[in-house]
Amino acid sequence: MSTRNLYSLGLDAHDRLNNELGGGIPGGSIVLIEGDYGAGKSAMSQRFTHGFCEENHSVTLVSTELTVRGFIDQMHSLSYDVEEHLLNEDLLFFHADVDTGQSALRTTGGVDDEEDGNRKQLLKRLMEAEKMWQADAVIIDTFDAILRNDPQFEALVRQNDERQAALEIISFFRDVVSQGKVIVLTVDPSTVDEEAIGPFRSIADVYLELQMVEVGNDVRRSIAVRRFAGMGEQVGDTIGYSVRSGTGIVIESRSVA
């Protein structure tokens, strides 16, 4: 697949996100979606997942927060129904259980990728999970939780060697996207050191920052487009949006101050 091909986000009759992002994500791209807690990172990753699937792209989604049941319920609440894609194996879902001290990867098939009694090197196990990287698009929500709960990465952080650890992961990601695939990472920058997240910002082909501004009793959200290499149509600097139950992501025409 040419790295110039666009992975359409589809759903043109549902919202205008694909149009606002120039017609899709360029193949061969690492996408970083950054935002604080509550900014809408998970909703955006779910929108990307559903849109890619509807456009006949295979997707792997890794969630550090949702179980399979929680994921399906959440997608239903946003009108992003995914059961058919899961059944057809167009969509592969993993729950990265980073809170139990076991650091297991749990799949839609109910098989646990773990070794009893030890915390796992999550990043290493992710990279070795060949099946998940066979998809056209791989989405990891949230990537910072995996970084924070990987013991090898933690050890390098204690040695003030975060950048070296990040560069090893980035090298693997680059090999994946060289095949024309797309990798989407969501990150809460408040949970990881600047030295750890900085390299991912630098190498991201598409870097989107989700922002929130309180206006009276209203919270207004926007996507600040920090970088968009290989875009299709022109992409604006700021895209207003909201997340609505029963609708999902909605692009707002108003600007955010």
Side-chain angles (χ1 to χ4, degrees):
M1 178 184 295
S2 169
T3 57
R4 300 301 298 176
N5 289 345
L6 293 177
Y7 281 58
S8 172
L9 291 165
L11 306 184
D12 291 333
H14 190 85
D15 61 45
R16 304 196 311 275
L17 181 64
N18 189 58
N19 181 64
E20 292 290 336
L21 292 178
I25 304 299
S29 295
I30 297 174
V31 181
L32 181 66
I33 301 177
E34 183 177 305
D36 293 334
Y37 178 80
K41 297 184 299 297
S42 291
M44 196 63 66
S45 70
Q46 291 155 11
R47 167 63 179 84
F48 275 46
T49 297
H50 186 50
F52 285 150
C53 286
E54 290 291 296
E55 291 296 309
N56 298 316
H57 300 302
S58 57
V59 179
T60 295
L61 175 62
V62 179
S63 173
T64 62
E65 298 179 347
L66 297 174
T67 63
V68 176
R69 182 70 260 171
F71 168 66
I72 292 173
D73 289 345
Q74 175 69 12
M75 295 296 271
H76 264 306
S77 74
L78 299 174
S79 293
Y80 300 152
D81 295 339
V82 291
E83 287 95 333
E84 184 176 348
H85 295 300
L86 288 169
L87 290 171
N88 292 338
E89 298 186 352
D90 304 323
L91 172 59
L92 180 63
F93 178 86
F94 285 89
H95 170 53
D97 189 359
V98 298
D99 294 324
T100 63
Q102 300 254 335
S103 297
L105 280 177
R106 306 180 190 279
T107 73
T108 46
V111 178
D112 294 353
D113 180 15
E114 61 180 340
E115 298 169 3
D116 292 338
N118 297 314
R119 284 191 67 199
K120 302 305 169 296
Q121 297 178 16
L122 272 174
L123 292 166
K124 182 174 184 290
R125 297 183 75 80
L126 279 174
M127 289 186 282
E128 291 177 347
E130 294 183 7
K131 186 175 182 180
M132 68 172 281
W133 301 105
Q134 293 172 4
D136 297 328
V138 179
I139 301 172
I140 304 178
D141 176 48
T142 56
F143 186 59
D144 59 275
I146 292 176
L147 293 180
R148 289 183 284 107
N149 287 277
D150 182 275
Q152 183 175 7
F153 193 86
E154 286 179 340
L156 288 167
V157 168
R158 288 195 297 271
Q159 298 167 23
N160 296 317
D161 205 6
E162 301 98 324
R163 293 187 69 84
Q164 179 57 37
L167 291 174
E168 292 174 5
I169 304 162
I170 288 167
S171 177
F172 172 79
F173 287 164
R174 279 295 181 207
D175 285 343
V176 172
V177 299
S178 69
Q179 304 169 47
K181 299 175 184 288
V182 169
I183 295 176
V184 180
L185 310 172
T186 73
V187 173
D188 181 344
S190 68
T191 66
V192 287
D193 190 273
E194 178 67 25
E195 288 297 313
I197 192 61
F200 295 98
R201 288 174 176 154
S202 298
I203 61 89
D205 303 286
V206 178
Y207 175 19
L208 308 176
E209 183 181 359
L210 306 186
Q211 301 176 333
M212 296 184 295
V213 176
E214 291 188 12
V215 181
N217 295 325
D218 187 24
V219 176
R220 297 187 178 182
R221 293 179 170 85
S222 64
I223 305 168
V225 181
R226 302 302 187 192
R227 186 180 308 117
F228 207 116
M231 68 178 70
E233 300 297 325
Q234 183 64 34
V235 178
D237 294 333
T238 304
I239 303 165
Y241 77 99
S242 60
V243 182
R244 300 180 188 175
S245 178
T247 303
I249 298 293
V250 176
I251 300 301
E252 305 283 3
S253 58
R254 55 172 167 73
S255 61
V256 177

